[in-house]
Amino acid sequence: MNTPHKGLDITTAKSSRLDQVDFDNLVFGKYYADHMMICDYKDGAWQTPQIMPYGPMEMEPSSKVFHYGQAVFEGMKAFKDADDKVWLFRPEDNFNRINISSKRMAIPEFPKEYFFDALNTLLKLDSEWIKKGDGNSLYIRPFAIGTEYGVSASPSNEYKFIIICCPAKAYYSTPVKVLISDHYSRSADGGVGYAKAAGNYGASFYPTNLAKEKGYQQVIWTDANTHEYLEEAGTMNVFFRIGDKLITAPTSDRILDGVTRKSIIDLAKHEGIDVEVRRIKVGEIVEAAKNGTLKEIFGTGTAATIAQISGFEQDGTFYDLPEVENPYNVKLKKMLQDIQYNRAEDPFDWRYAVETK
Ligand SMILES: *Cc1c(COP(=O)(O)O)cnc(C)c1O
């Protein structure tokens, strides 16, 4: 069936692959929802977005993305409430951010109507892929790549903006141990750390593998100049609780402006928690760990929501965090998820209702 719809061309899948998915033993990223959106950029304009069955696509081996890494992405989630209504969480922030990332990578910005029409259409077609219940969601991965062929080192004149979706369950259930990096860096002043550029991830895998060999699941990145300031945890923003104060680094060229990060700051303040957004020295948390005032460390990001960190290694010494009563990370995660799953009031107007009927 080919039907024009709100400016999109829609080709629906002949049959659903939903029954192939083992939702009880879900492996994140293994199964993709029946439909995807592909929109081509050529002749200086984004063409009509195409909704089509998910599947492989052909590309020239010389496509720029393979050689020069012109690629950006987003990560967002759709949630289903008890009445089968589908919600997105602050999707406009993801839309704005992919265009900020695109600009930095010389990729043309994507039109807002196309982004939201595509999301609404995909979630309507594939609403059965969104499961109810705590931790369940449909992870949405929009991305843009340079597709023009030719290995000359220059920005592509052709692009594809693609949206694919995959079912997800709660992620990182057990607390993780992290290694504070004193050598490798994720980003630098004037660099691309604030962009969700694919290469930031590629570049982080090797130092993360080295940390894994030492028994750590993630790296806490420090500033590239001095390695004295704490910046992010793996691919998450990072919060430290010293005493009853919650501290996180300000966003910058080097630190990604996470939607979860800013939501947690607002929720913590709403709860009356003292939040400080300022640079944090490695020495400060080592000191706090030694004198017992370091109560919690956690990462924030769409995939995990909040990932508790139970200890860290710095300069060859491991610091174990004590168990605390009524930890902030548990309380804030619940508050955030209650809003995401439409179980609580939404005083900040963060929820976005998807038209699935
Ligand atoms: C995506 C990402 C985050 C988290 O952003 P959210 O909007 O909360 O998902 C944090 N740090 C990095 C480096 C990221 O790529």
Side-chain angles (χ1 to χ4, degrees), residues 47-75:
Q47 309 293 307
T48 304
Q50 310 284 318
I51 302 276
M52 61 178 83
Y54 176 92
M57 58 188 194
E58 270 197 355
M59 282 174 65
E60 291 269 350
S62 66
S63 294
K64 305 260 189 188
V65 63
F66 298 137
H67 306 274
Y68 306 117
Q70 243 190 321
V72 297
F73 68 94
E74 268 305 322

Side-chain angles (χ1 to χ4, degrees), residues 340-353:
Q340 291 174 329
Y341 286 90
N342 190 30
R343 294 187 298 238
E345 290 293 303
D346 178 18
F348 303 98
D349 215 6
W350 285 337
R351 273 193 302 260
Y352 171 98

Side-chain angles (χ1 to χ4, degrees), residues 73-76 94 97 139 186 193 195-197 200-201 221 232-237 254-262 300-303 305:
F73 68 94
E74 268 305 322
M76 46 205 293
N94 297 95
R97 192 170 64 191
Y139 183 81
R186 193 190 80 85
K196 265 185 124 67
N200 286 342
Y201 280 63
W221 304 105
E232 296 209 53
T235 58
M236 293 181 286
N237 295 111
R254 303 177 312 276
I255 298 182
L256 194 118
D257 185 6
V259 177
T260 319
R261 172 188 173 278
K262 62 184 180 188
T300 63
T302 297
T305 319

Side-chain angles (χ1 to χ4, degrees), residues 150-341:
V151 294
S152 67
S154 58
S156 181
N157 286 307
E158 292 175 6
Y159 296 87
K160 281 185 193 297
F161 193 107
I162 303 176
I163 304 178
I164 55 176
C165 304
C166 64
K169 288 216 309 196
Y171 204 75
Y172 288 146
S173 40
T174 51
V176 299
K177 292 183 189 146
V178 295
L179 178 68
I180 297 186
S181 181
D182 55 9
H183 176 69
Y184 293 101
S185 301
R186 193 190 80 85
S187 60
D189 291 336
V192 296
Y194 69 93
K196 265 185 124 67
N200 286 342
Y201 280 63
S204 73
F205 294 158
Y206 175 67
T208 306
N209 279 348
L210 295 180
K212 284 184 180 157
E213 282 170 17
K214 295 184 78 179
Y216 299 99
Q217 286 87 355
Q218 277 301 346
V219 171
I220 289 202
W221 304 105
T222 49
D223 72 293
N225 297 335
T226 66
H227 295 292
E228 275 185 39
Y229 292 94
L230 298 154
E231 303 215 313
E232 296 209 53
T235 58
M236 293 181 286
N237 295 111
V238 65
F239 287 75
F240 302 89
R241 174 181 172 190
I242 298 180
D244 287 332
K245 220 176 257 175
L246 202 52
I247 313 167
T248 192
T251 57
S252 67
D253 265 11
R254 303 177 312 276
I255 298 182
L256 194 118
D257 185 6
V259 177
T260 319
R261 172 188 173 278
K262 62 184 180 188
S263 305
I264 290 298
I265 292 173
D266 287 347
L267 287 172
K269 286 182 176 166
H270 189 73
E271 275 302 280
I273 294 170
D274 193 0
V275 183
E276 285 184 5
V277 177
R278 62 165 172 85
R279 301 187 77 191
I280 316 149
K281 278 201 162 172
V282 176
E284 182 178 353
I285 67 150
V286 168
E287 201 45 48
K290 284 181 181 162
N291 69 27
T293 54
L294 181 64
K295 295 193 177 161
E296 293 175 60
I297 307 178
F298 56 86
T300 63
T302 297
T305 319
I306 290 188
Q308 195 198 335
I309 294 170
S310 59
F312 65 91
E313 181 186 314
Q314 192 267 334
D315 206 12
T317 305
F318 182 72
Y319 299 88
D320 210 1
L321 268 67
E323 294 255 330
V324 293
E325 264 180 57
N326 304 319
Y328 288 173
N329 77 83
V330 172
K331 178 184 202 154
L332 293 168
K333 183 174 186 170
K334 180 172 188 311
M335 287 176 73
L336 183 63
Q337 292 186 333
D338 282 348
I339 294 177
Q340 291 174 329
Y341 286 90

